[in-house]
Amino acid sequence: MGVSINDVAKRAGVSISTVSRIVNGTAKVAAQKEAAVRKAIAELQYEPNQLGRGLAKQCTQLVGIYFYGGISLLDSTYNLELLKGAEEVLTPNGYSLVLLSDKPNVEVPSFYRYIRERRIDALLVSGLSSGIRQDSVFRELIDSDFPISYIGKCFHEKGLNVYAQFEEYHVEMVRILRTNGHRKILIFQDVIHDHYIQQVKLRIGESFSGVELQAVQLSQEDIPNIDGILSAAVSNGFTAACCPTIHDAVNLIHSCARLDFSVPEQISIIAVEHRPEEGRDYYPAISAMYVPARQMGRVAAEQLLTAMGRKAEQRKHIEFHVAYTERNSIAERNSHA
């Protein structure tokens, strides 16, 4: 049986509350009593309960990370890379990560409860939906002093955020395909990015003449229907597709193989990769925009440390530029501008 705070108090000849004040550093104690407690702790090899210490000081040493979208963390390279980056910053500073998630379309995200019950010291939110951007309670959290960093385009003058210019790199993906002669282009999208895709479509309509876009929401329920979606699109003259991840691009390549569509001759594919050179090792190698998810996780974690007073001040709103790597999944197509 482990040594308890009661054992330390008995050995030192003081009250349990005195031991607690010394361990937690919440109040000054007479030097003689503190020396007796420190000696008892050393002799008994007492290890304070870290969670109990944290709650006593309103500090848990835990940072929550919340992912919207309802997909498994293990199915997303983006999520895993983001987690790695955050862990690389937070763990050396004494914080542990708490992964928070909910079923799709949950009405009240679980992180509200964790914050209300003071079970986490800070929160990193990834994949903001249009609903949460408009949620008055979330805006109140951003306005408050509670440390929150969100991944996505800045939508509030206060708060912390990291953004990879989603709209800009999607417009660039379409521009690349258009330059290669493609005029009818599919954009596969995650449901949570619908508010971004609508802006992408508006910008492309204003910037490029003769381009027809069809946005296709890609949920877990849609994946078994990918063959039908692709077959109908090709029948209607679509010759290219933009995919939100390399995993989605690979699924599309497999669908092309089942339908006997050649890539890139009949269907050109461009995707987003979240790990350096992620699309290189497939056949054909997948042309991709690289979103540095790991670095984004690091920067968001550093923002939280700043907000918690553990790191020097830095910018509150940070945007990353996305780099394009051309590989073999895009072919030129004869077309009139």
Side-chain angles (χ1 to χ4, degrees):
M1 189 172 179
V3 177
S4 69
I5 191 172
N6 188 51
D7 297 325
V8 173
K10 288 182 178 180
R11 175 68 66 93
V14 299
S15 67
I16 293 175
S17 61
T18 296
V19 176
S20 178
R21 287 196 295 271
I22 292 170
V23 169
N24 294 319
T26 54
K28 289 187 178 181
V29 176
Q32 184 176 357
K33 289 185 177 180
E34 181 171 359
V37 170
R38 298 293 182 194
K39 181 180 179 182
I41 288 174
E43 291 175 349
L44 297 173
Q45 296 183 330
Y46 171 63
E47 294 289 342
N49 181 293
Q50 293 298 315
L51 180 59
R53 291 179 62 188
L55 292 175
K57 297 190 295 180
Q58 300 295 307
C59 176
T60 64
Q61 298 298 112
L62 301 175
V63 172
I65 298 188
Y66 187 88
F67 292 94
Y68 277 95
I71 62 174
S72 170
L73 297 179
L74 300 180
D75 289 338
S76 170
T77 303
Y78 168 79
N79 287 350
L80 291 174
E81 289 295 296
L82 193 74
L83 281 171
K84 288 178 184 177
E87 189 272 339
E88 288 170 355
V89 170
L90 293 172
T91 298
N93 282 278
Y95 290 90
S96 298
L97 303 180
V98 178
L99 303 183
L100 308 176
S101 61
D102 291 304
K103 295 179 180 179
N105 303 316
V106 66
E107 188 170 333
V108 181
S110 59
F111 63 76
Y112 286 131
R113 183 177 73 257
Y114 276 73
I115 293 173
R116 184 176 63 251
E117 296 174 359
R118 298 183 179 274
R119 295 166 65 180
I120 53 176
D121 297 335
L123 176 70
L124 194 164
V125 179
S126 177
L128 289 184
S129 66
S130 56
I132 197 65
R133 285 159 59 94
Q134 299 165 8
D135 181 22
S136 60
V137 178
F138 187 75
R139 286 175 175 268
E140 288 177 9
L141 283 176
I142 297 293
D143 271 328
S144 73
D145 293 331
F146 189 85
I148 298 177
S149 178
Y150 61 91
I151 308 295
K153 188 176 183 179
C154 179
F155 69 96
H156 196 290
E157 62 182 9
K158 293 187 179 181
L160 308 170
N161 77 291
V162 175
Y163 185 49
Q165 300 181 321
F166 183 100
E167 294 173 21
E168 283 76 6
Y169 70 72
H170 272 77
V171 171
E172 177 64 9
M173 291 164 78
V174 172
R175 187 199 67 78
I176 290 167
L177 292 170
R178 184 181 184 277
T179 299
N180 281 274
H182 298 276
R183 294 295 183 267
K184 301 188 75 168
I185 301 168
L186 296 170
I187 296 186
F188 289 95
Q189 64 175 98
D190 292 323
V191 176
I192 59 174
H193 291 143
D194 180 65
H195 56 294
Y196 288 133
I197 294 296
Q198 296 306 316
Q199 292 301 312
V200 169
K201 293 174 70 175
L202 287 174
R203 290 178 57 176
I204 288 171
E206 295 169 355
S207 303
F208 306 132
S209 61
V211 173
E212 180 182 344
L213 295 180
Q214 179 179 327
V216 180
Q217 286 193 349
L218 199 61
S219 65
Q220 292 296 319
E221 293 76 18
D222 295 321
I223 291 176
N225 304 321
I226 191 68
D227 289 5
I229 294 170
L230 181 59
S231 181
V234 172
S235 296
N236 288 320
F238 284 83
T239 61
C242 303
C243 295
T245 69
I246 293 296
H247 179 70
D248 293 316
V250 172
N251 282 339
L252 192 59
I253 290 172
H254 290 164
S255 178
C256 287
R258 290 191 296 268
L259 295 170
D260 201 25
F261 296 153
S262 60
V263 179
E265 290 78 14
Q266 286 179 273
I267 294 291
S268 287
I269 297 174
I270 185 171
V272 180
E273 61 186 5
H274 300 106
R275 184 183 295 131
E277 301 295 331
E278 188 181 359
R280 180 186 58 187
D281 297 327
Y282 296 95
Y283 183 80
I286 301 168
S287 298
M289 311 295 295
Y290 170 53
V291 173
R294 191 165 185 167
Q295 182 62 16
M296 291 168 67
R298 289 183 57 86
V299 170
E302 288 169 355
Q303 286 180 326
L304 293 177
L305 289 179
T306 297
M308 292 185 288
R310 298 289 297 273
K311 194 174 178 68
E313 190 68 28
Q314 64 167 292
R315 287 183 298 159
K316 292 185 175 181
H317 310 295
I318 299 173
E319 291 192 359
F320 283 82
H321 293 283
V322 175
Y324 172 62
T325 300
E326 184 174 342
R327 299 191 180 100
N328 301 322
S329 62
I330 297 177
E332 290 189 13
R333 188 173 186 85
N334 293 329
S335 180
H336 298 290

